[in-house]
Amino acid sequence: SAERRDRMKKIIVLGCTGSIGTSTLNIVRNMPEDFCVSGLSANTNEKKLAALAQEFGCPSTLTSKDGIDGIKRIIDETQPDVIVNGIAGAAGLLPSKIAAESGIKLALANKETVVMAWHLIKQTAEKHGCAIIPVDSEHSAIFNLIHQAGKENVSEIVITASGGPFRTLSSGELENVTVEQALAHPTWKMGKKITVDSATLANKGLEVIEAARLFEMPPEKIKVVVHPQSIIHSLVRTNDGMLYAQLSEPDMQHPIFSALTWPENKAGHLQPFDLFDKTLTFFHPRIKDFPMLEYAFEAARNGKSYSIAYNAANEIAVQAFLDKKIGFTAISRIVRTVLDKDWTLLPAGFDDVFAQDEKARKLAEAII
């Protein structure tokens, strides 16, 4: 009925074949009364894209060769309620800008948007009345906890980290880990790049930078705790010293659902979380053996283009590791060398952002 169609939220899913896109479409599959898909984009997988478009009765699709104009066109044509940006890497930055300019709610899973150009995206979103809801499990937890506690009452953010597959290895053993071992993540099923980032703690580093920006928190008020079970997704400490946590199974559908339905808090298709027979443990991160976390705090403190350099150098180094050109511990050494250069330029626009990104990539490639 027309009334039901009015109630349904129209969603554009950018990066629909990746892990965020797949989880988003799974929610729509399970809740066809609440959501429908009005646009889909994939990087290059046209066959999968066509199959998904058919399944969801979605007329508007794009691949990366349609470029940024294609995304703008789909937004204009379908007038969605929510845009989910699940594109991986720097390629997700301009789509976030387009979404922000459209003034449509953005469910944001693309880290680079925040790490590379948050001050520019935030200005754009504020100007056009675009609400940006973080989709990462940690930032979704923090977002909801801050909303419930009140920003003025929060004194500290505590981000949980699984610790990755190597959290118990000695520094000597870390020298010799293989690509195959790095890709075997204990609790989450994700793409290769983010899985390696979880093993080096660079993923947590990126999340620290994101949290500092998204929630306007100085880096010294952000802590990281290793929590191998990945059941607590993050915590906030209030002024009275109390900690408040968000708990659920490690399933990306939770934070995505939360972003799709925001500002409502409604029942979905996922099992309510059950505490029985669960054991939760917490450890200090091993900063010395996993220096990528420390470098991220430094980049967050330094601002300017430091986080762009951190992100770009890491991306190049991780690819070199996946291609078996360098060892695991070389990733952080390459990033350190790049960060020691001059990154004091504050980008005035997106061209500056991409220029700094390119500069860091070239430096990292030269070091490799």
Side-chain angles (χ1 to χ4, degrees), residues 339-360:
L339 282 176
D340 286 338
K341 303 283 190 275
D342 179 10
W343 301 102
T344 51
L345 177 99
L346 178 66
F350 288 90
D351 289 348
D352 285 351
V353 171
F354 289 115
Q356 293 288 307
D357 178 72
E358 188 58 24
K359 177 179 139 185

Side-chain angles (χ1 to χ4, degrees), residues 111 136-139 141-142 145 156-163 203-215 217 219 221-227 232-237 243-244 282-283 285 293 297:
K111 289 180 185 308
D136 215 353
S137 67
E138 293 80 358
H139 300 97
I142 297 162
L145 289 164
E156 188 179 77
I157 286 171
V158 182
I159 302 177
T160 50
S162 70
N203 183 49
K204 216 40 58 178
L206 290 165
E207 287 174 6
V208 165
I209 296 169
E210 283 183 275
R213 303 207 163 146
L214 286 168
F215 308 114
M217 268 287 178
K221 293 197 168 168
I222 298 173
K223 302 284 183 289
V224 172
V225 60
V226 172
H227 165 53
I232 292 185
H233 299 294
S234 276
L235 310 93
V236 298
R237 191 184 297 282
L243 278 171
Y244 294 85
F282 306 94
F283 306 95
L293 185 56
F297 272 101

Side-chain angles (χ1 to χ4, degrees), residues 253-268:
Q253 290 182 81
H254 289 292
I256 296 167
F257 179 72
S258 172
L260 292 179
T261 53
W262 174 265
E264 265 186 283
N265 188 324
K266 62 189 280 178

Side-chain angles (χ1 to χ4, degrees), residues 42-63:
N43 187 12
T44 50
N45 193 339
E46 295 188 32
K47 225 167 112 186
K48 182 106 180 266
L49 182 61
L52 289 170
Q54 193 180 356
E55 179 191 348
F56 289 97
C58 164
S60 306
T61 63
L62 298 168
T63 61

Side-chain angles (χ1 to χ4, degrees), residues 263-305:
E264 265 186 283
N265 188 324
K266 62 189 280 178
H269 67 289
L270 295 157
Q271 269 317 102
F273 180 66
D274 184 351
L275 262 182
F276 290 106
D277 303 319
K278 301 281 194 298
T279 304
L280 308 182
T281 54
F282 306 94
F283 306 95
H284 285 282
R286 288 163 50 203
I287 299 283
K288 225 167 79 252
D289 295 322
F290 297 94
M292 288 297 284
L293 185 56
E294 200 48 36
Y295 301 165
F297 272 101
E298 182 189 314
R301 282 193 302 271
N302 289 340
K304 315 286 198 305
S305 290

